C-alpha cells in the first residue's frame, strides 16, 4: 500500500521555500486522499546548540502553521518525532549498518560541519535519524524539496542494505519533488543559495508569519541583476527567475503567461506586482495561523492524537525489525 511520509524541522519560522517546496505538495496529496504522515522533526533540531524555550515554542508554532496552511489532522497524522521513541531506536539499528565514510560524503553534513571546530556526533548521524523517520512507517513516498534528495538516497540505500542482510523488511521509498520551479526556491539576497531558515540575514527569506510591510520590503529589495527586462532564465538570471517562480505559484499562472503579461515593466516595477500577489496569497494563511496559535489546548490535543496514531504503526513495524534482527528471543 502507498504511504506518504515527510518531516519538517521546528527551527525558526516557516518560509516560502518550505511552503512551495514541501507544504503545498503535502496539502495536495492530503486533498487527493493519500495516506499522509507528517512529523515535526524536533530531535533533528537539537543537532546544533539551541535554546530549549525557543524549541518548545517553535514546535507549537509549527503545528499551528501546518494547520493554518491546510493540514487537516482528521485525515493526516501530524505528530512530534520525540513523542514516538521508535524513531530513535530504529536510528540506532540503521546506524549499525551505516558507514562513517558514506555519512561524511553527504553535502549537508559537509556544509554544516565546515565552520565547526568540534563536530557533534548528532550532526553526523542526522541523516540516519531521517532514514529511520521514513522507514519507521514503511513509507513508500517522501515529498520534499530538492535539498533533501541526497538524504533520501541514503535512506533508500539503508533500506536495501537492511533487507539484504536481515530479510525483506522495508519498501524502498520514492522521492517526490514538486517541480524544478518550486523544488528549490532561492535566497532573496543571494540567488545562488537556497532560501533557508538558518541564513543569518532575515531579508533572505519570506516567512509565513512576516508582517505585510516586511514581505513587501523584502521583495522590493530582492537581489536581481543589471538587466531591466523581466525574463525567465534560472541559469543566467536566477534572481528574477526566482521571483517569477514565486509569482507563478501564488497566481497559478504559468511562467510563460506571466512573462508575456508583464512585458514592458522593468524589474523594479515587476517587484511591486510580485509583492502584491504574494501578500494576497499569504494573508488568509496568516490569519488562519494566528487563530491556531491562540488555541494551544487544541494544538496539544492534536499532537497527542497524532502521537497515538503514529505510535501504533511505528511499534508494529519496530516489532518486525526486532524479529528480523534476532533481538526477539523465543520463549
Ligand atoms: P527542513 O525543515 O529544512 O525543510 C522542510 C521542507 O522544506 C523544503 N525546503 C525547500 N524547498 C524548496 N526551496 C527551498 N529553499 C527549501 N528549503 C526547504 C525541504 O526540502 C523540506 O522538504 N531533514 C528535513 C526534515 C526531516 C525529514 C524527515 C524530511 C526530518 N525527517 C523525513 C523528509 C523525511 C529538514 O531539515 O527539512
Amino acid at each position: 500500500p502507498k504511504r506518504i511520509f515527510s518531516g519538517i524541522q521546528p527551527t525558526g519560522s516557516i518560509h516560502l521555500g518550505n511552503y512551495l517546496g514541501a507544504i503545498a505538495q503535502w496539502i495536495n496529496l492530503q486533498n487527493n486522499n493519500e495516506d499522509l504522515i507528517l512529523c515535526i522533526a524536533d530531535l533533528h533540531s537539537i543537532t546544533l546548540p539551541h535554546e530549549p524555550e525557543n524549541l518548545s515554542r517553535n514546535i507549537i508554532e509549527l503545528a499551528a502553521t501546518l494547520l493554518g496552511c491546510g493540514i487537516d489532522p482528521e485525515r493526516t497524522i501530524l505528530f512530534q518525532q520525540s513523542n514516538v521513541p521508535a524513531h530513535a531506536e530504529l536510528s540506532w539499528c540503521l546506524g549499525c549498518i551505516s558507514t562513517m565514510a558514506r555519512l561524511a560524503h553527504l553535502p549537508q553534513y559537509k556544509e554544516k560541519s565546515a565552520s565547526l571546530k568540534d563536530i557533534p556526533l548528532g550532526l553526523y548521524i542526522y541523516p540516519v535519524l531521517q532514514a529511520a523517520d521514513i522507514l519507521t512507517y514503511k513509507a513508500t513516498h517522501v515529498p520534499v524539496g530538492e535539498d533533501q534528495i541526497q538524504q533520501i538516497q541514503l535512506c533508500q540505500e539503508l533500506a536495501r542494505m537492511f533487507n539484504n542482510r536481515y530479510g525483506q523488511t522495508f519498501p524502498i521509498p520514492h522521492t517526490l519533488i514538486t517541480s524544478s520551479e518550486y523544488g528549490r526556491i532561492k535566497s532573496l539576497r543571494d540567488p545562488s543559495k537556497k532560501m533557508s531558515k538558518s541564513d543569518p540575514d532575515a531579508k533572505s527569506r519570506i516567512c509565513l508569519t512576516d508582517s505585510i510591510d516586511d514581505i513587501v520590503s523584502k521583495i522590493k529589495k530582492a537581489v536581481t541583476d543589471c538587466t531591466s527586462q523581466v525574463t525567465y532564465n534560472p541559469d543566467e538570471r536566477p534572481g528574477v527567475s526566482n521571483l517569477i517562480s514565486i509569482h507563478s505559484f501564488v497566481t497559478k499562472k504559468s511562467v510563460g503567461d506571466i512573462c508575456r503579461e508583464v512585458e514592458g515593466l522593468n524589474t523594479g516595477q515587476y517587484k511591486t506586482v510580485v509583492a502584491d500577489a504574494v501578500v494576497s496569497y499569504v494573508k488568509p494563511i496568516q490569519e488562519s495561523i494566528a487563530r491556531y496559535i491562540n488555541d494551544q489546548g487544541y494544538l496539544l490535543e492534536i499532537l497527542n492524537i497524532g502521537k497515538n496514531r503514529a505510535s501504533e504503526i511505528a511499534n508494529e513495524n519496530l516489532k518486525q525489525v526486532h524479529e528480523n534482527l534476532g533481538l526477539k528471543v523465543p520463549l
Side-chain angles (χ1 to χ4, degrees):
K2 193 166 169 189
R3 171 169 286 151
I4 304 170
F5 180 94
S6 198
I8 181 165
Q9 283 196 69
T11 18
S13 299
I14 299 311
H15 53 67
L16 279 185
N18 299 128
Y19 188 83
L20 273 57
I23 300 173
Q25 218 192 151
W26 301 342
I27 312 279
N28 277 338
L29 291 162
Q30 167 191 278
N31 295 344
N32 285 328
N33 293 318
E34 300 287 1
D35 177 2
L36 181 63
I37 304 180
L38 289 182
C39 167
I40 296 181
D42 52 3
L43 294 175
H44 278 121
S45 294
I46 60 171
T47 40
L48 292 172
H50 75 287
E51 292 293 336
E53 274 164 41
N54 288 348
L55 179 57
S56 51
R57 202 184 48 244
N58 282 338
I59 292 169
I60 279 291
E61 274 185 26
L62 179 52
T65 302
L66 292 173
L67 297 183
C69 289
I71 292 300
D72 172 2
E74 300 257 321
R75 285 189 275 172
T76 293
I77 301 181
L78 174 65
F79 75 104
Q80 215 180 309
Q81 185 185 35
S82 61
N83 276 340
V84 183
H87 294 237
E89 193 182 333
L90 183 59
S91 172
W92 173 260
C93 301
L94 296 174
C96 293
I97 58 170
S98 308
T99 69
M100 296 176 58
R102 178 67 179 89
L103 297 180
H105 259 98
L106 286 161
Q108 289 215 346
Y109 171 74
K110 283 199 209 157
E111 228 170 82
K112 294 212 163 147
S113 62
S115 59
L116 300 175
K117 197 153 70 72
D118 285 315
I119 301 165
L121 183 55
L123 189 65
Y124 200 62
I125 58 172
Y126 179 114
V128 178
L129 178 60
Q130 180 162 349
D133 294 339
I134 298 166
L135 300 181
T136 294
Y137 300 92
K138 297 195 178 179
T140 56
H141 296 79
V142 188
V144 287
E146 279 181 15
D147 61 331
Q148 300 294 313
I149 290 177
Q150 283 97 343
Q151 261 115 294
I152 315 289
Q153 273 165 0
L154 176 80
C155 174
Q156 294 164 337
E157 285 167 30
L158 291 176
R160 268 189 213 107
M161 233 196 272
F162 192 100
N163 290 346
N164 284 341
R165 284 198 202 175
Y166 304 114
Q168 180 57 38
T169 313
F170 303 114
I172 309 303
H174 300 276
T175 310
L176 293 178
I177 302 287
T178 143
S179 71
S180 58
E181 276 141 275
Y182 309 136
R184 188 178 172 86
I185 297 299
K186 310 285 175 23
S187 155
L188 299 182
R189 303 306 302 166
D190 176 357
S192 69
K193 295 198 292 197
K194 66 171 180 179
M195 187 178 284
S196 153
K197 286 179 204 149
S198 54
D199 192 317
D201 187 352
K203 288 200 198 71
S204 67
R205 60 184 164 263
I206 292 172
C207 295
L208 293 183
T209 47
D210 278 348
S211 71
I212 301 300
D213 287 349
D214 278 351
I215 295 179
V216 172
S217 108
K218 285 177 184 181
I219 294 177
K220 284 194 174 162
K221 289 191 186 125
V223 169
T224 46
D225 52 31
C226 315
T227 309
S228 76
Q229 286 103 320
V230 179
T231 56
Y232 187 77
N233 184 341
D235 293 330
E236 314 255 310
R237 307 193 60 201
V240 212
S241 303
N242 192 41
L243 293 178
I244 300 174
S245 294
I246 294 172
H247 188 195
S248 140
F249 181 91
V250 298
T251 55
K252 304 286 173 251
K253 288 180 191 165
S254 72
V255 162
D257 282 349
I258 287 177
C259 291
R260 272 186 295 278
E261 266 175 37
V262 303
E263 215 184 315
L265 296 190
N266 63 36
T267 47
Q269 296 163 323
Y270 177 59
K271 285 176 188 171
T272 312
V273 176
V274 177
D276 284 346
V278 171
V279 166
S280 323
Y281 187 91
V282 167
K283 222 170 162 192
I285 298 179
Q286 290 194 334
E287 287 161 5
S288 174
I289 296 174
R291 278 195 298 275
Y292 285 111
I293 286 198
N294 291 325
D295 198 349
Q296 300 222 350
Y298 174 73
L299 293 171
L300 292 177
E301 190 186 311
I302 292 304
L303 291 178
N304 196 44
I305 295 172
K307 163 194 166 172
N308 292 333
R309 290 171 71 193
S311 298
E312 214 173 295
I313 305 168
N315 294 339
E316 187 61 33
N317 290 340
L318 198 65
K319 213 160 79 187
Q320 196 200 344
V321 169
H322 277 212
E323 279 171 26
N324 292 2
L325 283 173
L327 295 169
K328 188 175 171 232
V329 178
L331 285 178

